[in-house]
């Protein structure tokens, strides 16, 4: 969810008629950032004012989701400087992993979502960095997993995160909980990209609600489920966008395809109020 302009409580609006369960299993807060501090020479986590407000007021915006069984995951993406999730040298990755562990502990978050976009690496790589590559993304995710194996590590399958490598003999399917590929009308087996990952943790047919990019047919979605895939990503759900009616229709398609159920949409809409 684009939390710069959307209230996370809107995730409470979608339930399933027959089971009574909430449709959304996890919220990814899009997004926090990885940044470089030129004065200290260290990589650090940055939360813009919108993200920080939600963290500081988690009792109002985040805990209600967790109380209903939803995970709350912090997105971490690049932010137009030399620090990327895919170019940290091993020791730099270990230090940044410690900071992310402290973040999750402080705000009772359920994991990290990795997105390798908007990076501006320096060539040749300065001390503490490498050229961007999926091995260093894998290293960072692995270091975070070592510190908090009970929490989720979710990869947005795009750019250097489209596949991962074994680190210290541990397969990616062990330290990456889910992989959610980019927007598409189809789905693919990711076992070659994320060795060791069970199919129920592989995503497919991701949808983008800001621009109405819900490409997959109901038949494709049902086939994905029948083939054992158990993850699906929706981005930018917001009842105040011009695509709102299409969003509700798409959620209905997901309810029928994945749950053999009917979506119930609560008319209550939560505006951004900060």
């Amino acid at each position: 969810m684009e939390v710069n302009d959307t209230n996370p409580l809107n995730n409470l609006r979608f339930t399933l008629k027959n089971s009574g369960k909430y449709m959304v299993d996890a919220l990814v807060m899009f997004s926090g950032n990885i940044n470089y501090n030129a004065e200290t020479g260290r990589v650090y986590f940055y939360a813009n004012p919108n993200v920080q407000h939600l963290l500081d007021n988690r009792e109002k915006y985040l805990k209600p989701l967790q109380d209903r069984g939803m995970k709350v995951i912090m997105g971490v993406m690049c932010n137009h400087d030399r620090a990327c999730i895919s170019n940290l040298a091993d020791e730099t990755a270990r230090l940044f992993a410690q900071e992310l562990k402290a973040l999750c502990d402080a705000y009772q978050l359920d994991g990290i979502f990795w997105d390798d976009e908007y990076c501006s690496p320096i060539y040749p790589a300065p001390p503490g960095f490498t050229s961007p590559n999926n091995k260093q993304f894998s290293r960072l995710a692995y270091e975070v997993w070592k510190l908090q194996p009970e929490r989720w590590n979710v990869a947005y399958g795009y750019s250097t995160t489209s596949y991962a490598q074994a680190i210290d003999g541990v397969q990616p399917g062990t330290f990456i909980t889910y992989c959610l590929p980019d927007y598409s009308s189809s789905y693919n087996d990711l076992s070659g990209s994320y060795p060791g990952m069970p199919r129920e943790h592989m995503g497919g047919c991701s949808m983008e609600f800001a621009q109405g990019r819900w490409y997959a047919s109901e038949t494709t979605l049902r086939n994905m489920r029948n083939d054992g895939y158990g993850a699906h990503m929706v981005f930018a759900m917001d009842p105040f966008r011009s695509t709102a009616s299409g969003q509700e229709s798409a959620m209905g398609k997901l309810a029928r395809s994945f749950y053999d159920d009917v979506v119930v949409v609560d008319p209550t809409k939560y505006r951004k109020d900060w």
Side-chain angles (χ1 to χ4, degrees):
M1 177 174 282
E2 175 56 80
V3 294
N4 283 328
D5 55 14
T6 303
N7 191 320
L9 295 175
N10 284 298
N11 286 281
L12 301 175
R13 301 183 65 233
F14 299 95
T15 54
L16 297 168
K17 181 178 180 180
N18 297 324
S19 70
K21 295 180 179 179
Y22 287 91
M23 274 194 68
V24 176
D25 298 296
L27 160 69
V28 173
M29 299 175 65
F30 187 80
S31 181
N33 298 108
I34 177 173
N35 272 104
Y36 176 73
N37 186 322
E39 293 183 0
T40 65
R42 292 177 64 94
V43 169
Y44 67 99
F45 174 81
Y46 170 70
N48 71 28
N50 291 299
V51 173
Q52 191 62 53
H53 182 87
L54 298 178
L55 292 174
D56 291 340
N57 295 276
R58 68 170 310 276
E59 293 287 328
K60 177 178 179 179
Y61 298 107
L62 306 179
K63 188 174 183 295
L65 308 184
Q66 293 173 320
D67 288 346
R68 290 161 175 82
M70 300 179 198
K71 302 287 187 181
V72 175
I73 311 295
M74 175 56 69
V76 178
M77 68 182 303
C78 314
N79 197 20
H80 308 284
D81 71 15
R82 72 177 67 179
C84 310
I85 67 169
S86 59
N87 77 341
L88 305 186
D90 290 0
E91 183 58 27
T92 309
R94 293 187 186 100
L95 292 173
F96 188 54
Q98 293 171 12
E99 182 166 342
L100 293 181
K101 168 69 161 59
L103 173 82
C104 289
D105 287 346
Y107 296 106
Q108 300 175 52
L109 302 173
D110 298 300
I112 299 295
F113 175 89
W114 304 103
D115 184 1
D116 190 7
E117 298 183 86
Y118 308 112
C119 183
S120 300
I122 293 176
Y123 299 99
F129 297 88
T130 70
S131 297
N133 65 87
N134 63 41
K135 182 178 180 181
Q136 293 313 116
F137 153 66
S138 303
R139 167 60 68 181
L140 177 57
Y142 172 78
E143 295 296 340
V144 170
W145 169 78
K146 278 204 309 182
L147 294 175
Q148 48 182 32
E150 75 284 1
R151 290 182 168 122
W152 287 10
N153 253 343
V154 183
Y156 174 39
Y158 180 82
S159 184
T160 61
T161 60
S162 59
Y163 64 103
Q165 300 186 34
I167 300 295
D168 295 350
V170 181
Q171 292 283 9
T174 297
F175 61 84
I176 300 290
T177 318
Y178 291 94
C179 180
L180 304 173
D182 200 20
Y183 312 114
S184 174
S185 61
S186 61
Y187 60 95
N188 297 290
D189 191 319
L190 303 177
S191 56
S193 302
Y194 280 83
M197 178 174 286
R199 185 169 282 190
E200 59 265 29
H201 287 197
M202 300 177 189
C205 303
S206 297
M207 299 183 181
E208 207 273 22
F209 277 9
Q211 302 176 37
R213 297 163 66 184
W214 36 76
Y215 303 130
S217 68
E218 197 162 326
T219 298
T220 298
L221 293 169
R222 189 172 294 277
N223 288 341
M224 186 175 79
R225 169 197 169 183
N226 292 339
D227 287 342
Y229 294 82
H232 176 78
M233 179 180 73
V234 164
F235 175 65
M237 183 265 287
D238 186 326
F240 298 102
R241 296 191 192 279
S242 61
T243 58
S245 62
Q247 293 178 40
E248 294 185 9
S249 177
M251 293 294 273
K253 182 168 63 173
L254 295 178
R256 293 189 298 272
S257 302
F258 294 156
Y259 302 110
D260 298 319
D261 212 327
V262 177
V263 67
V264 177
V265 183
D266 191 317
T268 304
K269 301 176 183 179
Y270 300 89
R271 289 191 177 275
K272 177 181 177 181
D273 59 359
W274 65 90

